[in-house]
Amino acid sequence: MAEPVAVRADGEEREPAGFAFEDRPRMLEGVRAYGLIMAMWVRSTMAYRASFAMTLFGDFAVTAFDFVTILLMFTHVDALGGYSLPEIALLYGLSATAFGVCDLLLGSMDRVGGRVRDGTLDTLLVRPVPVLAQVAADRFALRRLGRITQGLLVLGYALVTLDIAWTPLKMLMLPMTVIGGAAIFGAIFVAGAAFQFVAQDASEVQNSFTYGGTTLLQYPPTVFAKDLVRGVTFVVPLAFASWLPALYVLGREYPVDLPRWVAFLSPLVAAGACGLAGLAWRAGLRSYRSTGS
């Protein structure tokens, strides 16, 4: 028996209501689906506002301890790796803010391995919207705004206390660093999630590059071995999320011999990383075998 087809008032056929997403480009489908799922979780969160306020403050306080640790170091030293406290605060603020934005938008990607193990990924595959959007928006945690707020406060402190000879390019560099850094961290989140299709218990490996990466960038590159600095510059491009742009603003030389204009490549590096992460995600999703197969 043929499936009934809905007809518009002008007599032309249209798709059934359940497949309304198919008329839109794939990317727009994902953005719209992400927005709808996110809004659902936000409404759920705001139903218990006192609980939300406490978890928001808790997230702010926990992340603030990272900077408190740096403050304690500076009670015993005047400089760390040749950098003053306000200079490290700039590194910290850019890294924490960029990662906070990414963690807010994509922080649920580390649950892919669990979904593969218990078979709940199958329920996402049968819906007519991109799986990536569903996974990213799942359990959207508005409390993660606490991490962003804390990073912005430290960044504000750095900008107030530092004596920087501002130019239009340096002013442009700050928002570009936050946006590019968030995209780079996002690419690592997605690539790590794709890896979990193969190694289902690899969420901690993913976290070592995301949460561990932002902790690494909160300290000056001069305190690390040059091989590590090269690795996070040319292999996993975390340096473009904070170090390179921040050192351009501060007027400092990068430990690895690179021209100063490389600091402006953050958006291009972010775009390339996102493209590679997208390919990895597609490959991982294609390799997935349902629990019923």
Side-chain angles (χ1 to χ4, degrees), residues 168-221:
L169 286 178
K170 287 185 178 182
M171 289 188 285
L172 176 64
M173 185 67 76
L174 294 179
M176 186 179 75
T177 302
V178 172
I179 296 171
I184 291 171
F185 279 118
I188 297 172
F189 264 112
V190 174
F195 181 64
Q196 291 186 51
F197 284 107
V198 180
Q200 298 169 13
D201 294 313
S203 60
E204 293 306 319
V205 176
Q206 176 182 339
N207 292 342
S208 68
F209 287 98
T210 52
Y211 293 93
T214 187
T215 301
L216 175 81
L217 296 178
Q218 290 167 3
Y219 295 88

Side-chain angles (χ1 to χ4, degrees), residues 11-271:
E12 294 187 11
E13 295 180 359
R14 64 179 174 85
E15 295 292 332
F19 297 90
F21 281 111
E22 294 182 1
D23 292 333
R24 299 184 179 88
R26 192 70 173 168
M27 183 173 292
L28 292 181
E29 291 178 19
V31 172
R32 183 172 184 270
Y34 181 94
L36 292 173
I37 299 170
M38 177 189 71
M40 177 191 71
W41 283 106
V42 170
R43 287 195 299 271
S44 173
T45 299
M46 298 310 293
Y48 304 94
R49 301 199 176 191
S51 175
F52 165 69
M54 288 187 288
T55 55
L56 179 69
F57 175 77
D59 219 49
F60 174 89
V62 168
T63 55
F65 278 116
D66 291 338
F67 192 66
V68 170
T69 301
I70 295 174
L71 292 176
L72 291 175
M73 291 182 187
F74 274 89
T75 61
H76 300 285
V77 297
D78 295 325
L80 185 62
Y83 285 69
S84 65
L85 177 60
E87 288 175 320
I88 291 181
L90 181 67
L91 297 176
Y92 180 102
L94 288 173
S95 171
T97 304
F99 180 77
V101 172
C102 173
D103 192 38
L104 175 68
L105 299 177
L106 297 173
S108 298
M109 294 300 298
D110 58 0
R111 294 193 176 96
V112 170
R115 283 189 172 277
V116 171
R117 289 194 304 274
D118 60 24
T120 56
L121 187 68
D122 293 1
T123 62
L124 308 184
L125 294 172
V126 299
R127 297 172 184 167
V129 290
V131 178
L132 180 59
Q134 297 181 69
V135 173
D138 183 42
R139 299 187 180 277
F140 183 87
L142 198 60
R143 60 176 171 75
R144 290 174 177 148
L145 286 172
R147 181 186 291 272
I148 300 175
T149 303
Q150 189 261 339
L152 287 172
L153 288 175
V154 175
L155 181 59
Y157 160 75
L159 296 177
V160 169
T161 54
L162 281 170
D163 184 17
I164 298 174
W166 290 105
T167 64
L169 286 178
K170 287 185 178 182
M171 289 188 285
L172 176 64
M173 185 67 76
L174 294 179
M176 186 179 75
T177 302
V178 172
I179 296 171
I184 291 171
F185 279 118
I188 297 172
F189 264 112
V190 174
F195 181 64
Q196 291 186 51
F197 284 107
V198 180
Q200 298 169 13
D201 294 313
S203 60
E204 293 306 319
V205 176
Q206 176 182 339
N207 292 342
S208 68
F209 287 98
T210 52
Y211 293 93
T214 187
T215 301
L216 175 81
L217 296 178
Q218 290 167 3
Y219 295 88
T222 51
V223 303
F224 301 105
K226 282 197 174 182
D227 287 341
L228 177 61
V229 176
R230 292 189 187 98
V232 297
T233 304
F234 302 112
V235 182
V236 181
L238 288 170
F240 290 88
S242 174
W243 279 349
L244 282 165
L247 266 58
Y248 175 85
V249 173
L250 294 172
R252 283 180 168 267
E253 295 295 325
Y254 193 59
V256 178
D257 189 19
L258 291 173
R260 288 175 60 80
W261 57 263
V262 171
F264 292 92
L265 296 181
S266 179
L268 293 178
V269 171

